[in-house]
Amino acid sequence: ATRIPPVIFTVVADEIVDLPSDRNTTSPLYSFSNSTAYRYYKIEFPETKGSSSVQLGEMRLYKQPLATLLTLD
């Protein structure tokens, strides 16, 4: 059998965020600086809000700086 070597991830952000408790709720945008593009990103949720699981409906990672995303015409 072929052994797959373990993947080592580089930490690019380590923040505590306050995600909504209610279902079907949009979370605020969170940003972090990262000058290196990676093929894969690992996102960890070390704690939950009293449950043993986490449910995400959708998550997006944007290339643009947050200021660009929030600019109104």
Side-chain angles (χ1 to χ4, degrees), residues 14-22 25-31 44-50 54 56:
D14 186 11
E15 300 178 33
I16 296 174
V17 296
D18 188 24
L19 297 175
S21 297
D22 296 332
T25 304
T26 302
S27 171
L29 292 174
Y30 295 97
S31 65
E44 293 184 343
F45 297 92
E47 295 180 15
T48 62
K49 293 185 179 255
V54 172
L56 293 175

Side-chain angles (χ1 to χ4, degrees), residues 2-71:
T2 303
R3 290 195 65 170
I4 300 172
V7 177
I8 298 172
F9 288 92
T10 300
V11 176
V12 294
D14 186 11
E15 300 178 33
I16 296 174
V17 296
D18 188 24
L19 297 175
S21 297
D22 296 332
R23 295 177 59 103
N24 301 319
T25 304
T26 302
S27 171
L29 292 174
Y30 295 97
S31 65
F32 59 91
S33 297
N34 177 32
S35 59
T36 304
Y38 296 98
R39 186 172 184 170
Y40 302 103
Y41 288 84
K42 177 182 177 181
I43 300 171
E44 293 184 343
F45 297 92
E47 295 180 15
T48 62
K49 293 185 179 255
S51 176
S52 61
S53 62
V54 172
Q55 181 180 7
L56 293 175
E58 183 175 343
M59 178 182 280
R60 296 178 187 178
L61 293 175
Y62 297 101
K63 292 193 298 186
Q64 295 90 352
L66 185 59
T68 303
L69 293 173
L70 297 178
T71 301

